[in-house]
Amino acid sequence: MTTATLLLNLSALLLFSSVRGAATAAASIDSNHPDVPQVRHEHAICFLKNVLFVIGGRGSKDIYAYRDDTGEWINYGKPPSSIGDGGKLHHFQCFEWKDGIVIGASFTGGFPREGTDGNIYYFRPREPEASRWSVLGTLPANRLRGSTGGFKRQGKIFQVGGNDGGHGQGDDDSKTWFDMLNPKTGAWTVLPDINLRRDHTGAVYSNYDDAAYFLAGRNGGKSDFFALENARLEIERYSFANGISGGTWEIVASTKYPHPGMTPTRVSRMIIIGDGEVDGRTDQASH
């Protein structure tokens, strides 16, 4: 695969001042690792205790974990049929939390008017099969959506943006909402909106500056949602310096290339994003 990767330095808050033009040169990546046993797309991946987990995707997909020390994929089976549309979850962001994986609000069902699953699931692969899945909380009915960005901070779980109508079903379907879940109580707190309607991406939290970043993605409610003009290049930042509810989302810079349909990740002081889809073609955003 040929890709270029955009590295965003978080060492200071001028952090994004040189984002445009900061992409590295394209490089060829060769891998001797075995492929994921099951073809999928619009899924999510994350690490748990240095093991890579691949979760969800359109259709009914098994959960796989890859151990780099053995070079093996381990099958954890499908989600229970009670989850999503018969165990089908896609368009979500997941992340490590304690001894398990948090799975954010997702889409279920088929294109283009997907249903939404507003449950925040917790998957603990080391538990017996019957007790691996639980619900940490459910988005309130008036905040229900899927395709959200998500992150953790100080024991709380956050959901950003999202979409409650699927693909191309209405300009207002893509949301500006920002919510916090206390998993100990199940209580939700509504936080200040982001500036731009956005879905098909993810969020990251940086403990270096105690701030959240929401970037890439698209306005998926637009009838021509694949079009370049509906991709989001703007990078939004929310500082927790004034408390959980005391901040505002600020647009601090823009990415050089569009990246709808991807998830950013943080590695040390960098946010890494790559690839995506524009006009229905992955090669239009393969940077």
Side-chain angles (χ1 to χ4, degrees), residues 7-282:
L7 303 179
L8 308 181
N9 194 337
L10 293 181
S11 57
L13 179 69
L14 292 177
L15 10 151
F16 290 115
S17 62
S18 61
V19 167
R20 288 189 175 274
T24 65
S28 177
I29 299 176
D30 296 319
S31 174
N32 294 319
H33 299 292
D35 291 342
V36 182
Q38 206 172 36
V39 174
R40 70 188 69 209
H41 73 301
E42 294 177 325
H43 56 286
I45 63 173
C46 73
F47 279 94
L48 173 63
K49 311 301 181 186
N50 296 317
V51 176
L52 177 68
F53 281 80
V54 180
I55 304 173
R58 287 195 182 272
S60 181
K61 301 298 183 183
D62 293 346
I63 296 172
Y64 280 93
Y66 181 73
R67 294 187 62 91
D68 192 49
D69 56 346
T70 64
E72 295 177 301
W73 286 99
I74 302 168
N75 189 334
Y76 283 89
K78 294 176 173 56
S81 59
S82 58
I83 287 177
D85 178 17
K88 302 172 185 175
L89 298 173
H90 52 90
H91 287 82
F92 60 87
Q93 185 175 5
C94 62
F95 49 88
E96 179 178 0
W97 187 59
K98 296 184 177 180
D99 62 343
I101 295 171
V102 174
I103 298 171
S106 65
F107 282 164
T108 65
F111 178 88
R113 188 161 186 81
E114 293 87 351
T116 56
D117 188 331
N119 289 322
I120 310 302
Y121 292 108
Y122 191 40
F123 173 65
R124 292 180 294 172
R126 295 181 179 179
E127 294 295 312
E129 186 174 357
S131 56
R132 284 176 183 165
W133 289 85
S134 59
V135 177
L136 294 174
T138 303
L139 283 165
N142 63 343
R143 309 284 285 185
L144 190 65
R145 75 269 197 195
S147 194
T148 58
F151 62 93
K152 61 183 177 181
R153 176 187 179 270
Q154 296 182 1
K156 306 300 191 297
I157 293 169
F158 297 79
Q159 296 285 280
V160 193
N163 185 304
D164 68 357
H167 293 75
Q169 301 300 308
D171 291 359
D172 294 338
D173 287 351
S174 189
K175 302 303 181 186
T176 58
W177 297 340
F178 183 31
D179 300 278
M180 181 188 74
L181 169 66
N182 183 338
K184 291 184 177 180
T185 65
W188 287 90
T189 302
V190 174
L191 300 175
D193 282 357
I194 57 175
N195 293 286
L196 301 171
R197 298 180 184 275
R198 196 186 306 239
D199 50 64
H200 280 79
T201 187
V204 293
Y205 170 72
S206 165
N207 59 326
Y208 291 100
D209 55 350
D210 195 17
Y213 293 84
F214 200 35
L215 62 160
R218 65 161 61 100
N219 182 345
K222 293 284 189 179
S223 58
D224 54 347
F225 56 87
F226 269 136
L228 179 61
E229 59 266 26
N230 292 318
R232 297 299 193 201
L233 277 68
E234 298 88 348
I235 299 167
E236 298 199 45
R237 177 182 183 270
Y238 186 87
S239 172
F240 290 95
N242 295 319
I244 292 173
S245 302
T248 57
W249 286 93
E250 300 177 278
I251 296 174
V252 293
S254 298
T255 60
K256 182 176 182 180
Y257 299 101
H259 294 277
M262 52 66 62
T263 298
T265 189
R266 184 178 67 83
V267 178
S268 186
R269 294 175 180 266
M270 296 182 294
I271 294 175
I272 302 175
I273 61 175
D275 292 338
E277 54 184 5
V278 177
D279 288 332
R281 294 173 54 190
T282 58

